[in-house]
Amino acid sequence: MATSSPFLTRFDGPESPNALILMLHGGKPRSADVVGDGSASWQRTAWMARSIAGRAHESGAAVWLLRYAARGWNGGADRVADARWALDEVRASHGDRPVILLGHSMGARVAVHVADDPSVVGVVALAPWWDRTDPVHTLAGRSLVAAHGRRDRLTSFTRTREYVARARSVAAHAELVDMGPLGHYMLKGAGDWDDVAIESSLRILTPSR
């Protein structure tokens, strides 16, 4: 399927979830192409969604995956609008449930731009694409977990470490998870990426875990 509008794939689980994990896939710096089923970035995040949904459901959380209207960041405004639309859809369906934003690469960039939404309690960022212009004030009072591999050749472990350090000035909690000799696409070590994604999300939702 390809669509020029944002679209949500829902792994709802509990009839009335107590929380929701909103997944945000990666993309390209610039592209007006629609995100079809053949998009590797969307497919990889959908694969993770299916892998972690069972553990999320056991803890009472639903998992939703946003498909953007287009593949590119393109300055950010449109992808941010897509994510804010998805957050509005969460509230329309489930009310004011706490939301974790779980983003890979560009999805992690989208996440920190919309983390100031009142439903969002934290961001889990996997191999994030961040630079020094991305905001941290949106994370005020929220939690951040960023995981990055040392063999990532597309996004920067160093930039992620710098962003987490900046976020500590405002976030309730901010940490960097060193994924060691793993790369960007989360294919090698897929189980490790899945574990850090779901365990970090549930730990933010239930701090006593």
Side-chain angles (χ1 to χ4, degrees), residues 12 27 32 40-41 74 116 121 126 129 147 155 162 188 190-191:
D12 275 323
S41 297
N74 302 335
D116 56 352
V121 297
L126 309 175
W129 171 36
T155 58
E162 292 172 353
K188 181 180 179 182

Side-chain angles (χ1 to χ4, degrees), residues 118-180:
S119 294
V120 174
V121 297
V123 170
V124 177
L126 309 175
W129 171 36
W130 288 329
D131 66 26
R132 295 183 179 94
T133 68
D134 290 311
V136 296
H137 70 272
T138 53
L139 292 164
R142 294 159 174 82
S143 294
L144 170 67
V145 178
H148 215 129
R150 297 276 185 162
R151 291 187 178 172
D152 193 323
R153 298 295 180 261
L154 289 182
T155 58
S156 168
F157 181 95
T158 298
R159 286 288 173 86
T160 295
R161 182 173 57 199
E162 292 172 353
Y163 183 90
V164 171
R166 286 200 292 130
R168 289 191 178 114
S169 66
V170 297
H173 173 77
E175 68 175 280
L176 172 62
V177 178
D178 187 340
M179 299 298 290

Side-chain angles (χ1 to χ4, degrees), residues 90-108:
V90 171
R91 277 186 289 273
S93 294
H94 296 305
D96 293 324
R97 298 292 190 270
V99 174
I100 298 293
L101 300 175
L102 173 55
H104 173 236
S105 190
M106 186 184 80

Side-chain angles (χ1 to χ4, degrees), residues 32-127:
D33 293 343
V34 297
V35 181
D37 289 339
S39 165
S41 297
W42 184 86
Q43 285 185 342
R44 180 61 190 92
T45 308
W47 178 19
M48 176 176 282
R50 290 188 289 269
S51 297
I52 69 174
R55 281 183 279 179
H57 296 165
E58 289 172 4
S59 295
V63 177
W64 289 14
L65 168 58
L66 172 64
R67 188 188 302 223
Y68 311 122
R71 295 178 67 185
W73 173 250
N74 302 335
D78 291 340
R79 301 296 73 79
V80 167
D82 290 346
R84 293 204 185 277
W85 168 83
L87 288 162
D88 287 341
E89 290 294 300
V90 171
R91 277 186 289 273
S93 294
H94 296 305
D96 293 324
R97 298 292 190 270
V99 174
I100 298 293
L101 300 175
L102 173 55
H104 173 236
S105 190
M106 186 184 80
R109 190 171 211 180
V110 175
V112 298
H113 281 258
V114 301
D116 56 352
D117 183 275
S119 294
V120 174
V121 297
V123 170
V124 177
L126 309 175

